[in-house]
Amino acid sequence: MNFPLYIAKRYIFSKSRNNAINIITRIASMGIIVGALALFVVLSVFSGLRVFSLSFSNDFDPDLKANPKSGKSFFITKKQENQLKKIDGVVSFSKIIEERVLFSFDGKQQVSYLKGIDKNFASVNKSSQKLFNGFWLKPDTYQVVIGYGISEKLSVGLFDFNNPFEVFVPKPGRGNITSPEEAFNKEVLIPVGIYAISEELDSKYVFADLGLTQQLLSYKTNQISGIEFKINSNTDETKIISQIQKIFNSQIEVKTRAALNATLYKMLNTENIAVYLIFTLVIIIALFNLIGALIMMILDKKENLKTLLHLGAEIKNLRKIFLLQGTLLSIYGGIIGLILGTIIVEAQQQFQFIMITPTLPYPVVFSFQNIMIVFATIVSLGFISSLIASSRVTKKLLG
């Protein structure tokens, strides 16, 4: 039998004759349990906040989006459309146009994006499912769907025929302008729906028919500014992107949803790492108690260690006793902390004890990845602490 492991287990579960050592050991154990619990709960909270934050972009951004490498627009032929339909893994795609324009209503004005969409847009993008009021626009009409933020700023209601909702788009060309009519293409739009996704997006877009948008921008019928794709979840994005670029002779760039929100993903990852490092530092400070407890245990068991040394035990085996004792304490403490943390996370998910607003519970996500991260952190730091403490067992100490 491995006698260092046997003795280490005995030391963990048996009380010392010195009550101070027992108290220090309990404090060290509680520090490990609380550290594991806190780290797991915080990581679960940030996982929940990550999912919550990305839910807005997931509702609006497509799986893939193609934009021209240079300029604002590009041309797409019927042949290219048919080739896109044949790509394995592409469920659907929608041709779009995005352009900053001026909207006016009842003396109020705002610059926002006019987004022209075709009939396939609803099958690619979830915006049509996020209507706050009204219904989604019909193709080949002057109907538009506006954001809740735009509706508030301009005081735009639905089907208000007394005050026209107008859009002004600068005309392309050169030369002197003698009147506003020469400078802008103008059209009266009919708001039929109001969408609500997030504060930023609600003030950014007005959805209109693709043909109407092409007309306002003086585009040709096959001229667009982008293509949005919906793909199967189990397909290779890189392979699909390569095929799309090949169809357009590499004149476009295709971005994934993560690339479209690179700043948001980077911010969330940075916050997650920062919080992990902060709580890891707290655990490191708590593990100083473990080092102190093990050193006190070494001094308390000094006579026993001398006896084992005289019976033929090697110094490395004596050190191994306390290395194993500290590591086992870290393992047991980590497991208990994770069990308690899991109970707290599951309780919040089921019973929603903590609320951000009266209708929005604080988001938490249970993840096995977080369990592995916390357990690996606790055990590895506990091992290092135990290694430091066990190095105090020397021939000089036992001489």
Side-chain angles (χ1 to χ4, degrees), residues 21-310:
I21 294 177
N22 294 328
I23 294 172
I24 294 172
T25 303
R26 291 192 195 101
I27 293 173
S29 300
M30 286 301 299
I32 295 170
I33 293 170
V34 173
L37 183 152
L39 181 58
F40 177 71
V41 170
V42 168
L43 289 180
S44 298
V45 167
F46 267 82
S47 295
L49 290 173
R50 180 187 179 88
V51 171
F52 180 73
S53 300
L54 294 178
S55 65
F56 299 116
S57 64
N58 292 341
D59 288 339
F60 188 83
D61 292 320
D63 296 330
L64 299 175
K65 186 175 183 180
N67 292 312
K69 283 187 175 180
S70 61
K72 289 186 175 182
S73 64
F74 62 97
F75 294 92
I76 181 171
T77 64
K78 286 292 181 183
K79 180 182 177 182
Q80 288 171 327
E81 287 190 49
N82 291 329
Q83 288 175 324
L84 291 176
K85 292 176 182 177
K86 294 178 181 177
I87 296 178
D88 186 31
V90 173
V91 177
S92 182
F93 66 89
S94 172
K95 296 177 290 183
I96 63 163
I97 295 175
E98 293 184 23
E99 186 62 56
R100 283 176 66 88
V101 299
L102 175 66
F103 294 99
S104 176
F105 181 81
D106 195 21
K108 299 178 181 179
Q109 297 178 337
Q110 181 176 341
V111 176
S112 297
Y113 280 90
L114 178 67
K115 184 164 184 174
I117 58 174
D118 64 11
K119 60 183 179 181
N120 296 328
F121 184 76
S123 62
V124 174
N125 196 295
K126 295 181 181 179
S127 299
S128 59
Q129 304 171 19
K130 300 296 177 180
L131 291 180
F132 172 77
N133 197 6
F135 54 85
W136 195 249
L137 64 95
K138 295 180 181 178
D140 303 319
T141 65
Y142 290 91
Q143 296 177 353
V144 294
V145 174
I146 63 177
Y148 183 77
I150 296 173
S151 173
E152 278 196 324
K153 289 177 182 177
L154 298 182
S155 302
V156 181
L158 302 182
F159 306 104
D160 186 349
F161 297 104
N162 295 322
N163 298 297
F165 181 59
E166 298 176 309
V167 59
F168 296 87
V169 182
K171 289 182 179 180
R174 299 178 180 177
N176 295 326
I177 298 172
T178 58
S179 66
E181 288 76 14
E182 293 182 4
F184 295 96
N185 287 327
K186 172 185 171 184
E187 198 59 75
V188 177
L189 307 175
I190 306 172
V192 296
I194 300 174
Y195 71 87
I197 298 176
S198 68
E199 185 177 352
E200 179 185 358
L201 294 173
D202 293 349
S203 300
K204 188 173 183 180
Y205 287 103
V206 172
F207 293 97
D209 177 67
L210 181 66
L212 173 61
T213 310
Q214 289 173 329
Q215 176 186 324
L216 286 167
L217 293 170
S218 302
Y219 279 9
K220 295 181 180 179
T221 54
N222 64 336
Q223 189 176 4
I224 57 176
S225 67
I227 308 174
E228 297 186 354
F229 295 87
K230 180 178 178 60
I231 63 175
N232 287 322
S233 57
N234 57 349
T235 53
D236 186 356
E237 287 183 347
T238 307
K239 186 178 179 180
I240 293 176
I241 291 172
S242 177
Q243 290 177 281
I244 294 171
Q245 289 176 331
K246 186 177 180 181
I247 291 172
F248 289 92
N249 298 318
S250 298
Q251 295 180 350
I252 62 170
E253 60 177 357
V254 183
K255 292 184 177 181
T256 62
R257 182 180 287 128
L260 290 170
N261 297 280
T263 303
L264 176 61
Y265 276 83
K266 185 177 180 180
M267 180 190 71
L268 292 173
N269 290 335
T270 302
E271 287 180 347
N272 202 29
I273 292 171
V275 169
Y276 169 77
L277 292 176
I278 290 170
F279 273 81
T280 299
L281 179 61
V282 172
I283 292 172
I284 291 172
I285 295 172
L287 286 173
F288 278 109
N289 290 323
L290 177 63
I291 295 174
L294 290 175
I295 291 175
M296 292 290 289
M297 183 70 72
I298 290 170
L299 296 176
D300 184 58
K301 303 295 183 182
K302 184 176 178 180
E303 295 302 320
N304 293 344
L305 296 178
K306 284 183 179 180
T307 302
L308 291 173
L309 183 65
H310 294 153

